[in-house]
Amino acid sequence: MKTIHALAAGALLVTAVGQAQAAQIEVLHWWTSGGEAKAANLLKEKLEAKGHTWKDFAVAGGAGDSAMTVLKSRAISGNPPAVAQIKGPLIQEWGEMGFLGNIDKAAEADGWDDFLPQEIAAYDKVDGHYAAVPVNIHRINWIWANPEVLKASGVEEVPQTWDAFFEAADKIREAGYIPLAHGGQPWQDATVFEVVMMGIGGGDFYRKAFVELDPEALTSDTMIESLETFKKLRGTMDDNIAGRDWNIATSMVINGKAAMQIMGDWAKGEFTAAGMTPGEDYECVAPPMTEHMFSYNTDSLAMFDVDDAGQQQAQLDLASLVLSPDFQASFNQAKGSIPVRLDVPLDDFDACAKASREAFDVAMDEGGLVPSLAHGMAVSDSQQGAVFDVITNFFNDPDMTAETAAERLVSAVRAAE
């Protein structure tokens, strides 16, 4: 009976636009690459089918750094968009500043708390009330590989230890290919580093270092080993990484110029857009020592406080659409992620998505589920920026030792508190 009542309430919510004035809402996001843009357009089409108008405000730039700069400027000038893509603790920061609205009406009508993972839902609440809607779950710790390049290099499989990885990299280089495609941007450097660190240190160490920012963890032998391994990876990349966008690095794997890339599963959207099939045209494999771990990032759409009744209804309709089972399936298949609704079956999803969901379940049970620092899920914006600065400087300075970098991590995050 509870389910029947919830379905009825949800139907009333999504049809309420007929009783309220349809509205235009501006949506700020950074879904601009091929696979991402296709996914965003699905949501736009569904919202406009409800009678509203989606005013697209796309700001290119990996990980949303540019979009957040634009959002801050708009908010300071008193003209924020009605909806903005925001992640993790940053949602609470915007809420505490009084910018966000309340979409509990949508959450209660559709029973969000019945199907959302508690760890994920907590990010979207401000003072116990929903202010944002989660769209998906991304797995950060993936290696994307071109099997033809590996075979041509005499490498039988994606390496599962770092020692094996560096041995394979030598073979790939000798065969005339780039072992690891990478874009030299701070968030991409941090992505690779956190993947290395989580494999070497495990879930508990990762949380001490990158969630609690514990000084002992940040200067430990485990951290030193992680930093040294990370820096060694620079030698497996080409000389032209500076400023390269992530999707350009992905295209290097797609086009057979590079063997592998360490990147979150939005990279899969690029392979999909290129008409490639996992297990045949490309491989998706957990990086060394992270098979049963899951570093996650969740895209959320935060609803800014608006006075217009039509815009308020449009926000509620958008939130309801985002978590509808059919949209969860179609969007995440295009985006490369997995549904944030754990009750959406993955029968029609590809092998990589099914492997991601299996890893998510195992990580939840075994303590390997960790929030991505590189992708805004672990610490504050200022603390994340402090870590980025140290990691990128260390990666690009051949003379900086791992010990020096570790000490600078402690000083940097302390200054950013």
Side-chain angles (χ1 to χ4, degrees):
M1 187 63 71
K2 178 182 177 183
T3 302
I4 294 174
H5 287 162
L7 289 172
L12 286 173
L13 172 67
V14 298
T15 58
V17 66
Q19 301 164 13
Q21 183 179 1
Q24 173 180 281
I25 54 173
E26 187 177 24
V27 183
L28 171 65
H29 64 88
W30 58 87
W31 293 322
T32 56
S33 74
E36 292 177 322
K38 179 181 177 182
N41 198 52
L42 288 170
L43 185 54
K44 176 182 178 181
E45 291 174 354
K46 286 184 175 293
L47 181 69
E48 295 193 337
K50 296 292 181 185
H52 300 296
T53 301
W54 169 301
K55 183 180 180 182
D56 202 53
F57 187 11
V59 180
D65 293 344
S66 298
M68 289 302 96
T69 299
V70 172
L71 179 59
K72 290 173 184 176
S73 177
R74 286 279 302 271
I76 290 172
S77 66
N79 183 37
V83 183
Q85 183 184 353
I86 306 178
K87 295 182 296 185
L90 199 54
I91 295 172
Q92 277 72 48
E93 291 183 26
W94 280 100
E96 290 168 1
M97 290 187 290
F99 281 102
L100 302 185
N102 183 321
I103 53 172
D104 280 347
K105 188 181 294 185
E108 292 166 2
D110 293 338
W112 293 2
D113 287 334
D114 294 334
F115 55 73
L116 289 178
Q118 292 183 6
E119 295 91 337
I120 304 299
Y123 288 105
D124 296 282
K125 294 180 179 180
V126 176
D127 294 330
H129 299 283
Y130 279 100
V133 56
V135 184
N136 54 7
I137 300 174
H138 279 298
R139 188 186 190 190
I140 309 304
N141 53 310
W142 278 119
I143 286 180
W144 306 94
N146 186 314
E148 290 187 0
V149 173
L150 293 179
K151 183 178 180 180
S153 305
V155 177
E156 296 183 0
E157 61 181 6
V158 177
Q160 287 301 291
T161 68
W162 287 116
D163 286 342
F165 186 96
F166 291 116
E167 289 177 11
D170 289 340
K171 293 181 180 179
I172 295 166
R173 180 80 72 189
E174 290 171 5
Y177 302 98
I178 298 166
L180 189 63
H182 183 67
Q185 298 171 337
W187 72 269
Q188 293 190 64
D189 295 341
T191 296
V192 174
F193 177 65
E194 78 171 35
V195 167
V196 170
M197 191 186 78
M198 65 189 285
I200 291 175
D204 288 342
F205 175 79
Y206 180 99
R207 281 183 284 270
K208 283 185 177 296
F210 266 10
V211 178
E212 300 172 19
L213 300 175
D214 177 67
E216 289 189 13
L218 291 174
T219 54
S220 65
D221 291 343
T222 301
M223 180 61 73
I224 300 302
E225 180 183 353
S226 300
L227 286 163
E228 290 175 342
T229 303
F230 166 63
K231 195 160 195 172
K232 191 175 179 181
L233 284 172
R234 182 64 185 84
T236 70
M237 303 169 184
D238 65 293
D239 293 331
N240 302 313
I241 65 173
R244 180 186 289 149
D245 288 332
W246 69 269
N247 52 313
I248 303 302
T250 305
S251 72
M252 293 167 62
V253 180
I254 292 173
N255 297 329
K257 294 181 179 179
M260 296 172 282
Q261 179 189 21
I262 295 173
M263 185 52 60
D265 54 20
W266 49 88
K268 188 179 68 176
E270 302 302 296
F271 289 95
T272 301
M276 302 177 77
T277 302
E280 298 177 13
D281 305 309
Y282 69 96
E283 300 288 343
C284 52
V285 179
M289 294 109 82
T290 70
E291 181 181 0
H292 299 302
M293 298 188 68
F294 196 111
S295 172
Y296 66 87
N297 159 39
T298 299
D299 291 314
S300 290
L301 294 177
M303 306 301 172
F304 277 68
D305 192 24
V306 293
D307 294 329
D308 181 77
Q311 287 190 323
Q312 291 173 355
Q313 185 61 51
Q315 289 177 328
L316 292 172
D317 287 338
L318 179 62
S320 187
L321 283 169
V322 163
L323 287 177
S324 62
D326 63 328
F327 176 76
Q328 281 284 298
S330 59
F331 177 89
N332 285 292
Q333 283 175 299
K335 185 72 162 61
S337 42
I338 58 174
V340 71
R341 284 192 66 146
L342 300 184
D343 59 348
V344 172
L346 302 188
D347 297 346
D348 296 329
F349 280 67
D350 61 39
C352 295
K354 291 174 181 176
S356 183
R357 177 57 192 276
E358 182 179 349
F360 182 85
D361 292 342
V362 171
M364 276 212 304
D365 291 340
E366 298 183 1
L369 186 66
V370 296
S372 170
L373 181 140
H375 296 274
M377 302 300 293
V379 296
S380 71
D381 204 24
S382 59
Q383 291 168 327
Q384 180 199 53
V387 172
F388 278 13
D389 287 345
V390 174
I391 293 303
T392 288
N393 288 337
F394 169 69
F395 196 52
N396 292 296
D397 183 350
D399 297 325
M400 188 186 299
T401 66
E403 289 79 6
T404 297
E407 293 293 342
R408 289 185 181 181
L409 275 174
V410 174
S411 300
V413 297
R414 185 175 294 148
E417 290 177 351

